[in-house]
């Protein structure tokens, strides 16, 4: 079985779990989808480019991040298997993105464009509803991220990270987790040691 077939099957399974679209309906709109296997470190979206796709992760791991004037990275989101990552603001308003999106591992990706979204919206009321829920959930998660970065302790932020990404603690370099949490790698190491002393075990 080819990689593209495996990727489209995994995306179809994910997509149908969120909608009432039949196999026939899915195949009728799937022609706009693109499939690609990328190496570790491949940049899918550059800062200042307009984001024309959402990226579904069939296998592997992506991240979105910004780079400040000093060259320091600030990680916004990770996307493991069966997650979708994009810059919704850039896509919706057709404005230059403030984000980079790249691959942390060798990754198999389904590229989802506006034509697919529009076609799915036309044939499925459930998809329209789920897409609206996804948008509001994205906003909710961003608000939560801001609140945690402003008001939570470093340990609370790390525990929240484990809740959101239970499978990633051993897949992501410590400096990337620290960047996501807004702390130094040294602080993260200290938190992990303190949790270990209390017999805390990640998922």
């Amino acid at each position: 079985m080819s990689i593209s077939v495996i990727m489209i099957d995994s995306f179809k399974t994910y997509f149908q779990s969120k909608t009432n679209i039949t196999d026939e309906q899915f195949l009728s709109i799937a022609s706009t989808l693109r499939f690609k296997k990328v190496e570790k470190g491949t940049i899918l979206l550059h800062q200042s480019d307009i984001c024309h796709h959402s990226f579904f992760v069939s296998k592997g791991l992506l991240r979105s991040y910004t780079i400040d004037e000093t060259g320091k990275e600030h990680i916004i989101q990770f996307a493991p298997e069966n997650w979708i990552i994009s810059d919704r603001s850039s896509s919706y308003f057709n404005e230059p993105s403030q984000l980079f999106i790249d691959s942390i591992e060798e990754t198999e990706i389904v590229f989802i464009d506006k034509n697919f979204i529009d076609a799915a919206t036309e044939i499925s009321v459930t998809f329209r509803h789920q897409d609206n829920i996804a948008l509001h959930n994205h906003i909710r998660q961003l608000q939560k991220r801001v609140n945690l970065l402003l008001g939570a302790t470093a340990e609370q932020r790390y525990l929240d990270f484990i809740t959101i990404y239970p499978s990633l603690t051993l897949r992501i370099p410590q400096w990337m987790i620290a960047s996501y949490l807004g702390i130094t790698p040294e602080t993260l190491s200290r938190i992990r040691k303190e949790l270990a002393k209390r017999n805390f075990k990640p998922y």
Side-chain angles (χ1 to χ4, degrees):
M1 185 178 293
S2 69
I3 291 176
S4 61
V5 171
I6 294 172
M7 283 191 275
I8 195 170
D9 282 347
S10 65
F11 178 64
K12 181 163 74 72
T13 298
Y14 167 86
F15 193 72
Q16 289 181 323
S17 73
K18 306 292 183 182
T19 69
N20 60 351
I21 286 179
T22 65
D23 288 351
E24 292 74 18
Q25 287 174 321
F26 180 84
L27 290 175
S28 73
I29 62 175
S31 61
T32 63
L33 297 172
R34 288 174 47 216
F35 313 94
K36 191 172 184 179
K37 183 176 182 178
V38 301
E39 298 299 319
K40 176 181 176 180
T42 301
I43 297 178
L44 303 170
L45 176 68
H46 286 83
Q47 193 175 55
S48 79
D49 287 351
I50 294 175
C51 184
H52 295 294
H53 294 89
S54 296
F55 307 102
F56 172 80
V57 180
S58 175
K59 182 180 179 182
L61 184 59
L62 303 178
R63 63 169 178 155
S64 63
Y65 60 98
T66 62
I67 299 179
D68 65 24
E69 293 180 353
T70 68
K72 183 178 179 180
E73 293 183 1
H74 303 274
I75 296 177
I76 308 300
Q77 180 188 350
F78 296 104
E81 289 82 2
N82 293 316
W83 279 55
I84 294 175
I85 190 169
S86 184
D87 183 344
R88 277 181 172 264
S89 295
S90 174
S91 297
Y92 185 82
F93 294 106
N94 200 40
E95 294 177 347
S97 177
Q98 297 181 359
L99 304 177
F100 290 89
I101 296 177
D102 72 5
S103 54
I104 300 175
E105 303 172 350
E106 181 179 79
T107 305
E108 297 171 6
I109 306 164
V110 179
F111 290 67
I112 308 163
D113 67 4
K114 185 177 183 297
N115 291 328
F116 180 87
I117 299 299
D118 289 345
T121 301
E122 284 292 322
I123 64 177
S124 174
V125 174
T126 305
F127 174 77
R128 289 197 292 271
H129 177 64
Q130 288 295 329
D131 190 50
N132 189 51
I133 290 176
L135 174 60
H136 285 82
N137 187 56
H138 178 69
I139 295 170
R140 180 177 65 177
Q141 291 300 324
L142 287 177
Q143 289 175 334
K144 183 180 179 182
R145 281 270 284 142
V146 171
N147 289 336
L148 285 170
L149 289 171
L150 292 176
T153 66
E155 180 177 306
Q156 289 170 331
R157 281 178 257 166
Y158 179 60
L159 294 175
D160 183 72
F161 168 83
I162 293 173
T163 300
I164 298 172
Y165 303 110
S167 67
L168 298 189
T169 54
L170 298 179
R171 290 175 64 180
I172 299 175
Q174 182 161 293
W175 72 265
M176 285 192 182
I177 297 176
S179 172
Y180 175 86
L181 299 176
I183 60 178
T184 65
E186 292 75 19
T187 298
L188 176 57
S189 179
R190 176 179 54 79
I191 291 169
R192 284 176 158 175
K193 289 177 181 177
E194 290 174 353
L195 289 172
K197 289 179 182 178
R198 303 204 299 265
N199 295 317
F200 173 83
K201 295 181 179 179
Y203 295 94

